[in-house]
Amino acid sequence: MVNTLSFLPIPLLQWYGEHARDLPWRREPTPYRVWVSEIMLQQTRVAAVLGYFAKFMDAFPTVQDLAAAPEDQLMKLWQGLGYYSRARNLQKAARQIVDTFGGAFPTDYGDIRSLAGVGDYTAAAIASISFGQPVPAVDGNLLRVAARVMGDDTDITTTQGKRHFTAALQEIIPLDFPGQFNQAMMDLGAMVCLPNGAPLCQQCPAEAFCQARKQGEPKTCRSARPRSPGGWKSGWFFCSFVGERWPFDGGRARDSWPGCGSTPMSWPRRRALWRTGGSRER
């Protein structure tokens, strides 16, 4: 059986050459910059990350700067992005790089994967984009595009399904342009082969051979276990201050309560609104 994805790399890379998003971490794709951008992009849209990324790079231009940064400064820069454990894991990983790898970003996929807060997708993104290693960076975008192009209704949310599509992508990722391929797939999934609503098939480089389109089911992308859409919760919480600092600075509360771990405004009672559930944003 022919892997329909084998037809994709050439037209995809041609499309990417014309339509790639102009993003700061792509202009200078060092492993440090790619890593920071990928961590920021977890659960966060690209447009929201741009300003934070610029300020972060100004404050911590190297992994050594991040490793040595005071936690208060790091958390203040991160304030507003949410999911504060990401920032703490960034610094923990930066210190791993300094202590274990002599301050040089690891080049081996397994070593990258061993860093705090780095999963399979992030490790593959860094390895392919910064080091040219042919490893597919498989996230929701790549899974959705692969499932549609192949016309394959395997459930992409299961471990078996992810392995199935990862293997199919591994077969066709270009050895000479793995980073560009992964980024092109990310852009295609974000801009054309959309997760919600009708995909923009007439703008897609895979239009001629996409099996889902040929079958008249361009939205094909099976998920037997629909992901929770998430929601909003709100409530009051009360604070007591010690000088100008939160008494629970450093606790887990910072991931659940927006604003925790930062200098408060002027009132001892705040109304909080926070997001629950949801999926990775691009």
Side-chain angles (χ1 to χ4, degrees), residues 91-168:
Q91 186 167 61
K92 182 178 179 181
R95 290 170 178 168
Q96 282 181 262
I97 293 171
V98 170
D99 295 340
T100 305
F101 299 101
F105 207 99
T107 60
D108 177 74
Y109 172 85
D111 288 338
I112 299 171
R113 180 66 178 79
S114 72
L115 298 175
V118 173
D120 293 338
Y121 166 80
T122 301
I126 297 168
S128 62
I129 296 168
S130 298
F131 299 117
Q133 297 177 19
V135 186
V138 180
D139 69 349
N141 281 328
L142 271 72
L143 289 168
R144 183 174 62 258
V145 172
R148 288 173 174 172
V149 171
M150 296 171 69
D152 191 327
D153 67 353
T154 301
D155 184 357
I156 66 172
T157 66
T158 65
T159 299
Q160 182 179 2
K162 291 176 182 177
R163 289 176 179 168
H164 169 67
F165 289 113
T166 297

Side-chain angles (χ1 to χ4, degrees), residues 24-84:
W25 45 89
R26 290 182 177 176
R27 298 173 206 150
E28 189 182 347
T30 65
Y32 176 65
R33 290 169 64 87
V34 171
W35 167 51
V36 171
S37 72
E38 287 297 337
I39 298 301
M40 285 187 170
L41 287 166
Q42 293 172 4
Q43 302 286 353
T44 310
R45 295 188 179 279
V46 169
V49 164
L50 294 174
Y52 285 96
F53 181 81
K55 292 178 182 178
F56 196 95
M57 287 297 124
D58 286 342
F60 314 123
T62 69
V63 69
Q64 290 82 2
D65 293 317
L66 175 58
E71 185 180 5
D72 285 353
Q73 181 187 9
L74 174 61
M75 290 302 174
K76 185 174 181 180
L77 278 172
W78 200 269
Q79 187 176 358
L81 273 177
Y83 300 95
Y84 290 87

Side-chain angles (χ1 to χ4, degrees), residues 1-29:
M1 180 178 178
V2 176
N3 180 357
T4 314
L5 284 175
S6 63
F7 302 121
L8 182 59
I10 291 177
L12 176 67
L13 290 174
Q14 291 174 338
W15 174 87
Y16 182 67
E18 298 177 5
H19 301 284
R21 290 179 289 184
D22 181 22
L23 302 173
W25 45 89
R26 290 182 177 176
R27 298 173 206 150
E28 189 182 347

